[in-house]
Each structure stands twice: as structure tokens, then as C-alpha cells.
Amino acid sequence: MLLFTVGFLDINFVDVLDILLVSVLLFHLYKLIKGSVALKIFVGGLSIYLTYLVVKATDMELLSEILSQFIDVGVIAAIILFQQEIRKFLLIIGKSTDFKNFPLFQLFRGKGKHEEINLDILAIIDAMKDMSGTNTGALIVISKDSDLQFYADTGDYVDGKISKRLLLSIFFKNSPMHDGACLIYNNRIQAARCILPVSENPNIPATMGLRHRAGIGMTENTNSIVLIVSEETGQMSFIKGGKIDHNLSAMELRTKIRGYMSDGQEELAQKTA
């Protein structure tokens, strides 16, 4: 459907939609890479491409041939140079696409039957209370959907049953495993001394240390929650989806963990009842 004409160009609805979608894509791409060296690389690559279009339009064959060689390998070069940004972009898309509530997905999981909460929350809370009282720093990741194999590989495998004494032993200040995160999945301590991705959010207060930034980064990249005991203040914190709640009591922490573990299951149970 023709909307209007600009000179010799006929503009229709699809053209307008195409321009809007490209504009939105470029805007989000700019937000993703602004403030990093990737922005300068992107501008440099865009300049070469625009120069190539001008050279090709003016029939400069030799220069056009040289620049075309850069353009031909541009996709491969972009993947190499922007691998971190591409990974972040795909993670954003993956987090915004939730298949868990799709009827077909529920059918393959067992006709939508909800799973029982299988996590020894009491042992985790008791250990955190003891560590809070002694200002022992702790970083605990809990996942209900994935074993977080990529992050587990960065630490030491434990594969032990959750217990208060085991958690206290891991985060004991003189323990060789205390530095890093402890991963919990399927009611077992999967690994310890794991390295987590540090958040690059510029809005994080400067008062937050590396432990809190790593916790925020982990929940930005995965559908997990992070529990933290501050080594400076002894305060217990809960992080989900990049948002942190400070200075929580044991009861508040327990409620939030249970809420995460049962998220979506109660609604699913009501639908299938």
C-alpha cells in the first residue's frame, strides 16, 4: 500500500515498518555497547561500509574492490570483535523468551503437573545466620531450572547434600574454597569456589563490593537467585533479576527463597486442578 512519494522513491507501509524496526535495533545496539571500546569499533566498521557504498556508486573500481574485501570478511570479524556484546544480546533475548508457561512445553514436562519444592531451605538459612553473626562473607547461587554447568566448571565440584556444617566449612575464612560462589541445584551443593560474571550496570552504588556486583551479574545472566552475607556488615541480601534486597531477616530471606522456588507452580497447579 503506497503511502507517499519522495522524489523517485515510492514509500509504502512495509518500508516505514522496516525503517522503524532498524531504528529500534540500532538504538538497543547503541545502549548495549555505549561506554565501551566496542562503540568505536562499530563506528569504524560503519564508516568503512558507508565509504564502500559511496565508492561503489561512483564506479571507482580499484578502491571498490579493495574495500569489498573488508566487507566480505566483515561478519566473521564482527563475531570475533563483538563476541561479548553478542553474548549479552543473546542472553537478553533468552531471558525475555519464557517457554515454561507454553502449553506445549508443559505437555512435554508431564501434562503441566507442578513439581514439589525440593530444597533444604532451613539448612541454608541456619548457615547464613551463623555467618552473619561472625561477619563471614558468603556468596550462594540457587538455581531451579539449570545446573549452571558453565559456571560450575570454573570452580571445584562438591556434589554434596546441603547441610549447615558443609556450607560453614566452605565459607570458613581459612578454607581454600571460601573465595568465590557456591552453586546449589537439585537440593545439592554442586560446586564451590566458582567465578561469576560481574555486572556492568553503571547504576550500582560504589559502596557495593565485588561480591555484590558478581551476585547482580549472575542474576542478570541467568534465571537464578543469589544469597549474600556481607563480610563488612554481616547483613544478609537477596538478589533476583539484577535487583538486590539488603539487610533481610532470616524469615524474610526464607519467604523470598520459597517464592522463587514456587514461582509459576501455584498458578500452574490452579490451571490443571
Side-chain angles (χ1 to χ4, degrees):
M1 182 178 64
L2 182 64
L3 296 179
F4 55 89
T5 302
V6 179
F8 60 89
L9 295 176
D10 295 330
I11 308 299
N12 56 38
F13 175 77
V14 175
D15 295 327
V16 174
L17 181 61
D18 188 23
I19 294 172
L20 288 175
L21 291 176
V22 171
S23 301
V24 172
L25 180 62
L26 290 176
F27 172 72
H28 285 287
L29 181 62
Y30 170 75
K31 287 179 61 180
L32 190 66
I33 65 177
K34 71 176 182 178
S36 67
V37 69
L39 180 60
K40 296 181 180 179
I41 297 175
F42 175 75
V43 172
L46 185 62
S47 300
I48 293 176
Y49 181 69
L50 293 176
T51 303
Y52 167 73
L53 294 179
V54 173
V55 168
K56 187 176 180 181
T58 54
D59 294 328
M60 297 181 184
E61 295 183 3
L62 182 58
L63 190 56
S64 177
E65 180 66 24
I66 295 173
L67 292 177
S68 67
Q69 300 303 316
F70 288 97
I71 303 301
D72 290 341
V73 297
V75 175
I76 298 176
I79 293 175
I80 296 173
L81 294 172
F82 297 103
Q83 54 181 323
Q84 293 296 330
E85 285 71 21
I86 292 173
R87 181 174 178 272
K88 287 171 62 178
F89 180 70
L90 294 176
L91 282 169
I92 292 172
I93 294 177
K95 285 182 65 178
S96 62
T97 307
D98 187 4
F99 295 101
K100 292 185 296 182
N101 295 325
F102 284 9
L104 184 61
F105 187 83
Q106 295 170 5
L107 180 64
F108 283 113
R109 293 187 64 184
K111 299 182 179 180
K113 293 182 180 179
H114 68 283
E115 301 172 356
E116 295 182 358
I117 296 176
N118 186 27
L119 181 67
D120 192 351
I121 301 177
L122 184 60
I124 298 172
I125 297 297
D126 285 346
M128 291 189 65
K129 284 170 60 178
D130 280 17
M131 290 186 287
S132 176
T134 58
N135 282 27
T136 301
L139 181 59
I140 302 173
V141 180
I142 301 175
S143 173
K144 64 176 180 178
D145 300 322
S146 169
D147 58 4
L148 303 176
Q149 187 69 37
F150 175 80
Y151 301 101
D153 288 341
T154 65
D156 298 323
Y157 281 92
V158 177
D159 191 26
K161 183 179 179 182
I162 296 176
S163 71
K164 174 183 175 181
R165 286 180 294 182
L166 181 54
L167 287 171
L168 291 177
S169 297
I170 290 174
F171 291 109
F172 178 62
K173 293 181 180 179
N174 294 328
S175 168
M177 302 183 72
H178 83 283
D179 194 15
C182 170
L183 304 186
I184 293 178
Y185 173 69
N186 198 23
N187 202 36
R188 296 185 70 83
I189 298 176
Q190 183 183 10
R193 206 178 60 83
C194 299
I195 300 173
L196 305 185
V198 178
S199 176
E200 298 178 4
N201 187 348
N203 297 320
I204 297 178
T207 54
M208 287 192 186
L210 190 60
R211 182 178 285 112
H212 290 80
R213 289 177 178 272
I216 294 174
M218 186 65 174
T219 60
E220 288 174 341
N221 290 299
T222 65
N223 184 32
S224 60
I225 58 172
V226 173
L227 312 177
I228 293 178
V229 178
S230 173
E231 191 172 356
E232 289 75 23
T233 64
Q235 292 182 357
M236 297 186 293
S237 302
F238 175 92
I239 308 177
K240 179 183 178 183
K243 297 181 180 179
I244 184 169
D245 293 315
H246 286 294
N247 198 20
L248 299 178
S249 66
M251 185 61 68
E252 291 172 329
L253 204 57
R254 180 179 181 181
T255 301
K256 287 185 176 294
I257 297 173
R258 289 185 62 86
Y260 165 75
M261 296 300 297
S262 62
D263 184 26
Q265 294 177 1
E266 294 181 1
E267 180 181 351
L268 185 58
Q270 292 175 358
K271 290 181 180 179
T272 56

